[in-house]
Amino acid sequence: RITAVKNRFDASYDAERGGGYRDLSLNVEVGWSMQEGVVEFERVSDWDELGCDRHICEVQVRLRSMHTAISQRRSHSQY
């Protein structure tokens, strides 16, 4: 399930504060169980009943040009 959204593509976002950086960041909570050494992702509605382990992951959606600039410099200093 989605637990947080930061939409830095939105026109109301002040990109100058972030040095021009823009992306869409989603925090997604996943629940899983392990059976016979195999991880199985479970439905949100089954988490409590199954006693699932949970983890929050961040998914970033960004322009290829921004990804390239960050990856080549291994930092955010070039955006």
Side-chain angles (χ1 to χ4, degrees):
R1 78 177 142 199
I2 296 174
T3 60
V5 176
K6 292 181 186 174
N7 184 358
R8 295 183 189 97
F9 289 119
D10 190 291
S12 66
Y13 173 70
D14 182 5
E16 287 189 34
R17 278 186 46 192
Y21 183 78
R22 291 191 180 268
D23 73 355
L24 174 68
S25 175
L26 304 169
N27 286 359
V28 180
E29 185 176 18
V30 295
W32 73 90
S33 61
M34 185 171 296
Q35 297 178 15
E36 299 179 17
V38 176
V39 172
E40 293 190 22
F41 291 97
E42 306 292 353
R43 294 179 182 173
V44 174
S45 60
D46 295 336
W47 289 358
D48 291 333
E49 181 182 332
L50 296 173
C52 291
D53 289 312
R54 299 177 192 179
H55 187 79
I56 295 179
C57 308
E58 181 180 66
V59 177
Q60 294 180 344
V61 179
R62 56 186 173 201
L63 298 175
R64 182 177 302 212
S65 57
M66 186 65 69
H67 175 75
T68 300
I70 292 168
S71 298
Q72 288 177 345
R73 303 285 186 223
R74 297 190 186 272
S75 73
H76 290 237
S77 63
Q78 293 300 309
Y79 59 78

